[in-house]
Amino acid sequence: MKTCLVVDDSKVVRMVARKILEGLEFEVEEAEDGKVALAKCVAHMPDAVLLDWNMPVMNGIDFLRRLRRVNGGAEPIVVFCTTEKDFSFIQEALAAGANEYIMKPFDKEIVEAKFEQAGLL
C-alpha cells in the first residue's frame, strides 16, 4: 500500500484529505507543520506528500526545499494543496521540486486526478 503524508495546520483539512486518500487506498500520516513533517519523512519517507503552503513553525515551501535535500527526499511525489493561486507561487513551488499543484477547496475528483497525473494511481 502506498503512503501519503498530509501536511496542513488545519485539522479539518487533514481529516478531509485523509478520508479521500484512504478511499484511494493510501496509508495516511498527518503533520501540522513542516517541521513535524520533515521529522516524519526522515524517520520514514512516504510515497507522496500533500502539502499546504501557509503553516506556522515551518511553511510548505521551506519544508519542500529541505525535504529535497535529505537522504531519499527526492523520491516522494509532492502535491501542493493551497489557497495561494498567484502564478508566481505555482512557479516557485515547481522550481522547489513540487510535482503538482491543487487549489483549495478540493474534492475527491481533483485529488484523484492530480495523483493520477503524478503517477501515484
Side-chain angles (χ1 to χ4, degrees):
M1 181 176 282
K2 289 191 176 181
T3 58
C4 184
L5 177 62
V6 177
V7 188
D8 199 297
D9 57 324
S10 167
K11 186 173 183 165
V12 172
V13 170
R14 292 194 314 266
M15 182 183 68
V16 170
R18 172 183 285 278
K19 183 173 180 169
I20 290 169
L21 291 164
E22 286 178 345
L24 297 173
E25 305 201 356
F26 278 86
E27 184 178 313
V28 178
E29 277 201 67
E30 298 178 21
E32 63 274 12
D33 62 57
K35 184 176 180 184
V36 173
L38 193 59
K40 288 187 178 215
C41 288
V42 168
H44 181 263
M45 199 62 69
D47 296 302
V49 178
L50 187 63
L51 180 62
D52 185 25
W53 192 294
N54 298 306
M55 297 177 288
V57 185
M58 183 189 298
N59 67 28
I61 197 73
D62 290 342
F63 160 80
L64 178 57
R65 289 183 178 124
R66 291 181 187 189
L67 172 69
R68 293 304 193 207
R69 291 193 308 255
V70 301
N71 188 29
E75 298 305 313
I77 300 292
V78 176
V79 179
F80 255 103
C81 181
T82 181
T83 58
E84 298 295 351
K85 59 183 179 273
D86 189 272
F87 188 65
S88 65
F89 283 94
I90 297 170
Q91 286 180 305
E92 186 177 1
L94 295 174
N99 301 89
E100 288 289 344
Y101 202 94
I102 294 174
M103 298 302 302
K104 289 180 182 176
F106 59 89
D107 59 19
K108 180 182 183 285
E109 288 72 27
I110 292 168
V111 172
E112 189 170 13
K114 288 293 184 175
F115 273 53
E116 195 171 292
Q117 288 173 2
L120 288 163
L121 299 176

